[in-house]
Amino acid sequence: MSITIGVDIGGSHISSAAINGNDFVIIPETYFSGPVDSKASKEVIIKKWAEIINQTIQAVQKISGYTEKDKIGIAFSMPGPFQYESGIAMFEGNDKYESLYNVSVSEELVKYLDAKNVSFRFLNDASCFGVGGSLKENSSVENKVIAITLGTGFGAAFLDNKLPLTQGDNVPHNGCLWDKPFQDGIADSYFSTRWFLKEYEKSTGNKLTDGVKEIAAIESFSTAKIFDDFANNLTEFLAPFIIDFDADLLVIGGNIAKSHRLFLPKVKENLKAKNIDLAISIVENTEHTSILGSSYLYNEVFWERIKAELPYF
């Protein structure tokens, strides 16, 4: 028997769950999550990751008839910069997990896991979210998917038949959007939580700390205009990429997506005005979707297609 565990690494958390590969769902009572201090030492971070993953391993052992001979595949939805083929972290200058710079996550993590017959596979977190979103839609018609995550940062993935693409004439460099030019800066500065906080302070003179959820709860002309401006900016930025990629589906996740009622109607209206017709899917639980997407790395057909082109960033 082989077991697949999907892991989502965030800037301040880790989540882990075992996946039923037959119907592509999280196995009940195997999901665990916990906070992580991304500025802690290498040992503290790795031990915390192991602690959460071990809870999933122990749950699987209880419910599945697991034996020590059984193989466990652990698939990571991992932010960059990261060497996804070798499993070596390259976090530097991005204010998170910098103590893991040039560290082999596989070699360090296995020291603290309750199971030793394990293997590891890694993929960019935005790509995992995109793969998970594509699989949840489960539509043969929607072959070309752009997936974006709107939160503390702006993640993106371009997928053709569930395969993340990082190069090609109709795909932006590295399959990323966060670093692409937009207005007076780069996209990440406009499609993240800090943009909302900055715009709210600029509009009202007041500082907020809880993010977009707090702004969404305030019904005023100022907040309505902020969400309208966000929708206009998002449409203006995404439209050329949607057209170039000839996308069939746009999947949106991240914490900002939870306030979609305040910006999605305007996005749809703007796209229609540009004669762009594509389906849009909002994913409320980005973590679960990323975990599911990461687990697909242990679909051997998918792995054979993707492993030679794992991104190095």
Side-chain angles (χ1 to χ4, degrees):
M1 181 175 71
S2 60
I3 295 160
T4 301
I5 292 174
V7 179
D8 180 51
I9 300 294
S12 59
H13 81 279
I14 173 175
S15 300
S16 170
I19 308 301
N20 184 328
N22 294 326
D23 51 9
F24 193 65
V25 295
I26 290 175
I27 297 172
E29 299 180 16
T30 68
Y31 174 83
F32 296 92
S33 184
V36 181
D37 179 4
S38 65
K39 299 182 188 300
S41 67
K42 176 184 77 173
E43 288 75 16
V44 168
I45 292 170
I46 293 292
K47 284 181 179 179
K48 183 63 181 183
W49 287 1
E51 174 192 324
I52 299 298
I53 295 169
N54 279 335
Q55 290 180 53
T56 296
I57 291 173
Q58 289 160 13
V60 168
Q61 289 172 342
K62 287 181 182 177
I63 64 178
S64 68
Y66 166 89
T67 70
E68 288 188 0
K69 292 181 180 179
D70 292 328
K71 295 179 180 178
I72 297 179
I74 303 177
F76 282 82
S77 167
M78 181 73 74
F82 198 88
Q83 293 182 15
Y84 292 95
E85 184 176 1
S86 64
I88 294 175
M90 301 303 292
F91 303 116
E92 186 179 36
N94 56 350
D95 204 34
K96 64 183 179 186
Y97 299 125
E98 291 185 297
S99 63
L100 299 184
Y101 179 75
N102 211 26
V103 168
S104 169
V105 171
S106 308
E107 291 179 6
E108 293 298 321
L109 192 59
V110 75
K111 298 175 185 177
Y112 304 104
L113 292 181
D114 290 343
K116 301 305 177 187
N117 190 9
V118 297
S119 63
F120 301 91
R121 291 177 182 176
F122 302 87
L123 188 62
N124 175 265
D125 52 354
S127 295
C128 285
F129 171 73
V131 172
S134 298
L135 288 163
K136 285 175 79 171
E137 288 297 319
N138 196 27
S139 171
S140 58
V141 177
E142 290 154 350
N143 291 325
K144 286 193 167 185
V145 177
I146 298 176
I148 61 172
T149 52
L150 305 167
T152 53
F154 179 39
F158 290 71
L159 303 103
D160 190 350
N161 285 319
K162 303 180 182 65
L163 184 70
L165 304 176
T166 58
Q167 55 190 335
D169 293 339
N170 59 351
V171 177
H173 180 63
N174 274 341
C176 292
L177 291 177
W178 70 271
D179 57 346
K180 303 304 181 282
F182 183 67
Q183 293 187 4
D184 297 328
I186 59 172
D188 199 63
S189 300
Y190 289 84
F191 309 118
S192 56
T193 301
R194 65 184 178 280
W195 179 86
F196 278 89
L197 297 175
K198 183 184 75 174
E199 290 298 305
Y200 185 82
E201 183 179 358
K202 190 164 69 175
S203 176
T204 68
N206 298 320
K207 279 191 175 184
L208 298 178
T209 56
D210 286 348
V212 177
K213 183 180 179 181
E214 189 176 6
I215 296 172
I218 301 170
E219 294 187 11
S220 68
F221 174 81
S222 295
T223 56
K225 185 178 185 306
I226 288 170
F227 279 99
D228 264 5
D229 289 346
F230 177 77
N232 291 335
N233 287 341
L234 188 62
T235 313
E236 180 187 345
F237 176 75
L238 285 180
F241 296 102
I242 292 170
I243 293 168
D244 285 350
F245 192 57
D246 193 21
D248 303 297
L249 172 69
L250 174 64
V251 180
I252 304 176
N255 283 331
I256 295 173
K258 294 175 182 176
S259 303
H260 63 87
R261 63 183 177 84
L262 298 173
F263 68 85
L264 188 58
K266 186 70 172 176
V267 168
K268 290 180 176 178
E269 178 187 322
N270 291 345
L271 289 173
K272 187 176 180 180
K274 293 177 179 289
N275 294 316
I276 296 174
D277 181 24
L278 85 166
I280 300 179
S281 173
I282 297 291
V283 173
E284 294 282 356
N285 197 321
T286 302
E287 278 180 38
H288 281 200
T289 303
S290 296
I291 286 172
L292 292 171
S294 70
S295 74
Y296 204 59
L297 292 172
Y298 280 92
N299 176 303
E300 296 305 327
V301 174
F302 178 76
W303 181 244
E304 284 301 315
R305 292 173 66 201
I306 196 176
K307 68 178 182 180
E309 297 184 16
L310 287 173
Y312 180 103
F313 61 92

